[in-house]
């Protein structure tokens, strides 16, 4: 890995954070082209790095070609905050006509990597993502070089890595979708290994190892209580919040809302939507809070942590936070676009499909995203 490349990423991240790139053209020239140069691409050879590459009646921002004139990677560039589902649809339409192995959608800050030949929705065909501001510069360089380095594209190693990583993400998503049912089955049994582990921990804590049947009864009761809690959650929520049918369309003036598995709740703020989503996912999957910070954390802070102090390091008094099931803490002090992004990533970690299993409406303002978050898929 090039140390200079990591320094370039840090410099670009500062510029993006300071608002130095004010349009799609400035992002394309000041960020994307510079990154491609660091990756070894001959950016002034328009047969290799082809700008405004024509595909049918449309044009994609960059086609990275090998051999010259034959696209191996398509890169679509958007304004900051606009690399959303609409951009994904547009990019995949390009890929359908051209048949490229790798597609990249970026607004300069966020980079999403897709395998067009994969299965499922656009989101399900994304195999990697990075954020130049939130992610460590070394990790960002590793991801960019893994798939987009000129030498790796020429040798076809970038494509092979993309296919392997897509397959790994797909298997993990399938595994995650079964976490809750497997966990309930282990508790209801209980599984001999779980019973042994529980008995051993009780013995270590108290000096007295419990009778096997007593321990098994306790574990089964916990499973029954968890199922009863989930079954009764609808009745509880109707007392706390207004529950309405899924709205056909949500406008900017409508209140923030969450539709989870077909049931819609309205809230007073985006922060309440964020809390509700993380509460639900953490309640369904005991390991969710552990996996989320392992996959998604900032350079100097965590958005989900065991200690509240880790959410806002360096601040004399911790900012807004919420205690999640299992003793974890969630940072809730962030702008609405960041809330949307964290919810999308939470869905990935938990194995839920954003836009189908989890649908949200959080007003995000006119300069960042003015999309209908209730229909994002």
């Amino acid at each position: 890995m090039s140390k200079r490349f990591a320094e370039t990423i840090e410099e670009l991240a500062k510029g993006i954070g300071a608002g130095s790139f004010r349009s799609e053209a400035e992002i394309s020239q000041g960020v994307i082209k510079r990154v491609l140069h660091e990756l070894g691409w001959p950016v002034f050879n328009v047969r290799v790095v082809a700008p405004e590459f024509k595909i049918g009646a449309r044009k994609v921002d960059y086609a990275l070609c090998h051999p010259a004139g034959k696209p191996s990677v398509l890169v679509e560039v958007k304004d900051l905050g606009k690399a959303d589902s609409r951009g994904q649809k547009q990019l995949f339409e390009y890929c359908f006509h051209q048949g490229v192995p790798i597609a990249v959608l970026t607004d300069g800050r966020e980079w999403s990597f897709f395998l067009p030949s994969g299965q499922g929705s656009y989101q399900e065909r994304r195999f990697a993502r990075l954020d130049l501001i939130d992610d460590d510069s070394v990790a960002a360089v590793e991801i960019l070089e893994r798939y987009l380095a000129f030498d790796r594209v020429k040798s076809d190693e970038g494509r092979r890595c993309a296919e392997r990583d897509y397959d790994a993400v797909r298997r993990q998503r399938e595994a995650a979708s079964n976490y809750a049912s497997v966990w309930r089955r282990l508790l209801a049994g209980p599984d001999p290994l779980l019973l042994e582990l529980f008995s051993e921990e009780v013995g270590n804590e108290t000096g007295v190892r419990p009778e096997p049947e007593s321990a098994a009864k306790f574990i089964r009761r916990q499973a029954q209580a968890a199922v009863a809690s989930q079954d009764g959650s609808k009745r509880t929520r109707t007392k706390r919040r207004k529950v309405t049918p899924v709205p056909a369309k949500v406008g900017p003036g409508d209140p923030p809302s969450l539709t989870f598995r077909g049931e819609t709740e309205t809230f007073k703020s985006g922060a309440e939507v964020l809390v509700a989503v993380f509460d639900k996912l953490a309640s369904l999957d005991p390991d969710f809070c552990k996996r989320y910070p392992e996959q998604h954390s900032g350079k100097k802070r965590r958005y989900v942590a065991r200690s509240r102090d880790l959410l806002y390091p360096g601040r004399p008094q911790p900012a807004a936070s919420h205690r999640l099931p299992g003793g974890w803490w969630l940072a809730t002090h962030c702008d609405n676009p960041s809330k949307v992004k964290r919810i999308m990533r939470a869905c990935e970690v938990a194995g839920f499909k954003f836009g189908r299993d989890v649908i949200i409406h959080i007003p995000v303002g006119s300069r960042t995203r003015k999309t209908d978050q209730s229909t994002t898929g």
Side-chain angles (χ1 to χ4, degrees):
M1 185 209 73
S2 167
K3 181 181 179 182
R4 187 186 69 180
F5 192 6
E7 293 172 349
T8 297
I9 292 296
E10 292 174 0
E11 182 182 337
L12 291 173
K14 289 179 181 178
I16 293 170
S20 300
F21 306 100
R22 296 167 294 179
S23 68
E24 181 180 314
E26 291 183 2
I27 293 168
S28 181
Q29 294 296 316
V31 179
I32 312 307
K33 214 164 187 177
R34 192 170 174 187
V35 168
L36 293 176
H37 173 72
E38 292 288 351
L39 289 166
W41 288 90
V43 293
F44 299 111
N45 185 338
V46 295
R47 291 281 293 161
V48 178
V49 180
E52 299 295 313
F53 186 82
K54 192 172 182 180
I55 300 175
R58 301 184 179 184
K59 295 178 180 179
V60 66
D61 291 299
Y62 289 103
L64 308 183
C65 303
H66 180 76
K70 180 177 174 56
S72 294
V73 180
L74 294 184
V75 181
E76 180 68 6
V77 183
K78 297 295 183 183
D79 283 330
L80 280 172
K82 297 294 181 63
D84 52 19
S85 60
R86 293 182 182 178
Q88 293 172 13
K89 180 180 179 182
Q90 184 180 19
L91 181 60
F92 272 80
E93 288 175 354
Y94 297 151
C95 295
F96 175 77
H97 290 289
Q98 200 65 35
V100 297
I102 299 175
V104 179
L105 177 65
T106 178
D107 62 359
R109 172 178 176 171
E110 293 187 14
W111 295 63
S112 291
F113 299 80
F114 300 89
L115 188 74
S117 61
Q119 299 177 345
S121 67
Y122 304 147
Q123 296 280 5
E124 290 170 340
R125 281 183 267 187
R126 180 171 54 201
F127 59 85
R129 171 195 271 172
L130 67 87
D131 186 313
L132 294 193
I133 292 180
D134 286 348
D135 295 339
D136 179 77
S137 60
V138 174
V141 168
E142 289 177 351
I143 292 174
L144 289 166
E145 288 185 337
R146 180 173 177 81
Y147 310 116
L148 299 184
F150 185 38
D151 289 341
R152 293 176 68 83
V153 172
K154 287 195 298 182
S155 68
D156 214 27
E157 183 59 26
R159 178 190 61 80
R160 289 192 289 269
C161 287
E163 290 176 346
R164 288 196 296 267
D165 293 348
Y166 161 78
D167 193 51
V169 170
R170 180 182 58 80
R171 292 198 304 268
Q172 285 296 322
R173 187 185 299 115
E174 290 176 354
S177 66
N178 290 288
Y179 285 167
S181 61
V182 171
W183 179 247
R184 286 194 295 268
R185 187 167 66 250
L186 288 175
L187 290 178
D191 182 89
L193 290 178
L194 178 62
L195 179 59
E196 174 62 25
L197 177 62
F198 177 79
S199 299
E200 182 178 347
E201 289 297 319
V202 171
N204 292 337
E205 184 74 21
T206 66
V208 179
R209 190 178 179 88
E211 291 289 338
E213 184 55 33
S214 173
K217 285 182 179 179
F218 174 80
I219 293 173
R220 284 194 292 270
R221 284 198 301 270
Q222 299 306 304
Q224 293 167 358
V227 171
S229 176
Q230 291 177 23
D231 291 342
S233 61
K234 291 183 180 180
R235 293 189 297 274
T236 303
R237 285 196 294 266
T238 56
K239 295 178 181 179
R240 294 200 317 257
R241 303 185 182 107
K242 180 183 178 182
V243 178
T244 60
V246 180
K249 185 175 180 181
V250 193
D254 290 314
S257 64
L258 163 65
T259 302
F260 186 75
R261 291 178 170 175
E263 182 178 285
T264 299
E265 301 171 64
T266 58
F267 301 84
K268 296 181 180 179
S269 66
E272 289 188 3
V273 176
L274 179 73
V275 165
V277 171
F278 275 75
D279 270 343
K280 291 177 188 297
L281 298 182
S283 298
L284 290 172
D285 182 358
D287 289 330
F288 167 79
C289 291
K290 178 182 178 182
R291 295 198 314 278
Y292 186 91
E294 292 175 349
Q295 299 181 35
H296 301 295
S297 291
K299 286 184 178 180
K300 298 180 180 180
R301 54 172 291 202
R302 294 193 168 199
Y303 311 129
V304 173
R306 272 293 187 188
S307 169
R308 189 181 183 189
D309 295 333
L310 295 176
L311 300 177
Y312 305 97
R315 293 196 182 189
Q317 293 184 345
S321 58
H322 171 76
R323 191 174 181 84
L324 294 169
W328 292 80
W329 287 91
L330 168 68
T332 58
H333 181 69
C334 59
D335 58 23
N336 281 349
S338 296
K339 293 183 180 75
V340 173
K341 181 172 69 174
R342 293 178 193 176
I343 290 172
M344 292 176 69
R345 292 182 171 179
C347 290
E348 292 179 352
V349 172
F352 286 88
K353 184 176 180 181
F354 181 78
R356 184 186 66 190
D357 304 318
V358 177
I359 303 171
I360 63 170
H361 169 63
I362 298 179
V364 295
S366 58
R367 294 190 61 188
T368 51
R369 296 184 195 176
K370 202 171 181 181
T371 57
D372 180 1
Q373 295 296 342
S374 69
T375 59
T376 301

